[in-house]
Amino acid sequence: MTTILVPYHHDERLPDDDIPVSADVTVRSQVRDGDTWRGVAGVCAATAAAVSPVVAAGGVPVVLSGDCLVAGGTVAGVQGAGVDPAVVWFDAHGDVHTLQTSTSGYLGGLALRLLNGAHPDRYADVFGLRPVLPERSVLVDARDLDPAEAEHLAGSATRRIPVAEVAADTVPSGPLVLHIDVDVIDSGEVPGLRYPVPNGPSTDAVLAACARLFATDRVVALDVACPWSRTDDEGQLDVRARLLSRLTALAAR
C-alpha cells in the first residue's frame, strides 16, 4: 500500500496536517495562475503522475485529498497504468451537477459528472482522463440530492444504491476505483464537515461496505475525500485521525 497525500481543496493548498495521515508521497501542483479550473486540472495531473507507477507495480494507492475533484486524477493515474476501472462513488451528495444546473457554483458538486465526461475542455481533456461511462459508475447513498441531480439520475445509466446493498454483484465487473467522500458517514460521527448531512450510515456500516469490495480483490485504488473545515479542536482531530487510519487500513489487508 502506498499512501498519497493531495493537500488541496480545489486549487487551494491546504496545510499538510489538515489531513492527518502519514504519507509516502505528497503531491505538489505547479499550476498557480489564478484560474481555478486550470488549478484543479494541475492538481489532478500531479495526482495521476503519483498514482500510475504504484498501480503499474501492482500496488493499491490510497489517495487522500480535500475534495472529490481529485478523484479524476486518481482514475487517470489508474488508466495511465493500463487499467480501465469502473468507479464506486460513496457520497452524501450526488456530485452530478453541471455548470448550468449548479445553484451554488461549488465545483465539488460537479465531481462525478466531470468524471463521466461533463465539461471535458475544462477537466478531463486537460489532464488526460478518459471519462468513465455512467453505466460503469455506481453512486452509493447520495441522500442529499438537489432537484436537478435527482432529475439527471432518473434518466442516467449511473445506478444509485444504499450502503447496505454494496456487494460484489451490485457494482460493475472488473477493476474498481473506490471513492469515499467521508461526508457519506452520518454528520454526527464526523465533525466539522463543510457540507454536513444528517441521517446517514454509520462509520462501521461504510467501512463494512468498503471491506466487502476489497474482499473481491478488484479494488485497484482507494480515493478518499476529506471536505472538512480547518480546526484546532483536539477531539475533532482525534476523530478524523482515527477515521482515516481505519480507511487506509482497508487497503493494507
Side-chain angles (χ1 to χ4, degrees), residues 38 108 161:
R38 281 181 50 80
I161 61 175

Side-chain angles (χ1 to χ4, degrees), residues 9 63 65-69 71 88-95 106 108-109 111 139-143 163 178-186 190 193-197 201 206 210 222-228 243-244 247:
H9 177 262
V63 180
S65 72
D67 68 42
C68 294
L69 293 165
V88 182
W89 192 278
F90 285 73
D91 206 306
H93 309 92
D95 289 1
Y106 180 67
L139 179 57
V140 181
D141 189 63
R143 61 189 179 275
V163 167
L178 177 55
H179 169 79
I180 305 166
D181 184 332
V182 296
D183 71 16
V184 71
I185 299 168
D186 186 85
V190 185
L193 293 167
R194 292 174 185 262
Y195 298 100
V197 184
V206 171
C210 295
L222 172 61
D223 184 90
V224 180
C226 306
W228 46 47
L243 172 59
L244 296 186
L247 281 168

Side-chain angles (χ1 to χ4, degrees), residues 36-250:
T36 300
W37 280 103
R38 281 181 50 80
V40 166
V43 171
C44 288
T47 301
V51 166
S52 280
V54 178
V55 176
V60 177
V62 178
V63 180
L64 300 110
S65 72
D67 68 42
C68 294
L69 293 165
V70 169
T74 300
V75 172
V78 171
Q79 293 171 339
V83 179
D84 184 22
V87 174
V88 182
W89 192 278
F90 285 73
D91 206 306
H93 309 92
D95 289 1
V96 290
H97 273 298
T98 64
L99 289 174
Q100 290 73 35
T101 66
S102 175
T103 56
S104 68
Y106 180 67
L107 296 187
L110 283 65
L112 180 54
R113 195 75 172 269
L114 293 169
L115 187 66
N116 292 150
H119 309 299
D121 57 322
R122 300 189 185 213
Y123 189 75
D125 290 353
V126 185
F127 59 92
L129 169 70
R130 297 192 302 277
V132 177
L133 295 175
E135 55 265 34
R136 296 281 291 162
S137 306
V138 172
L139 179 57
V140 181
D141 189 63
R143 61 189 179 275
D144 185 19
L145 293 175
D146 290 334
E149 293 182 299
E151 181 180 357
H152 167 73
L153 289 169
S156 171
T158 298
R159 289 186 299 113
R160 179 183 168 213
I161 61 175
V163 167
E165 292 184 11
V166 173
D169 59 354
T170 59
V171 299
S173 61
L176 301 171
V177 169
L178 177 55
H179 169 79
I180 305 166
D181 184 332
V182 296
D183 71 16
V184 71
I185 299 168
D186 186 85
S187 58
E189 296 190 24
V190 185
L193 293 167
R194 292 174 185 262
Y195 298 100
V197 184
N199 304 316
S202 67
T203 301
D204 287 345
V206 171
L207 288 168
C210 295
R212 291 193 293 273
L213 296 184
F214 270 96
T216 67
D217 291 326
R218 293 195 283 125
V219 177
V220 294
L222 172 61
D223 184 90
V224 180
C226 306
W228 46 47
S229 300
R230 180 77 176 165
T231 184
D232 293 319
D233 183 276
E234 292 296 332
Q236 289 192 22
L237 292 171
D238 183 61
V239 168
R240 294 174 182 184
R242 285 188 282 111
L243 172 59
L244 296 186
S245 177
R246 295 181 69 187
L247 281 168
T248 55
L250 291 167

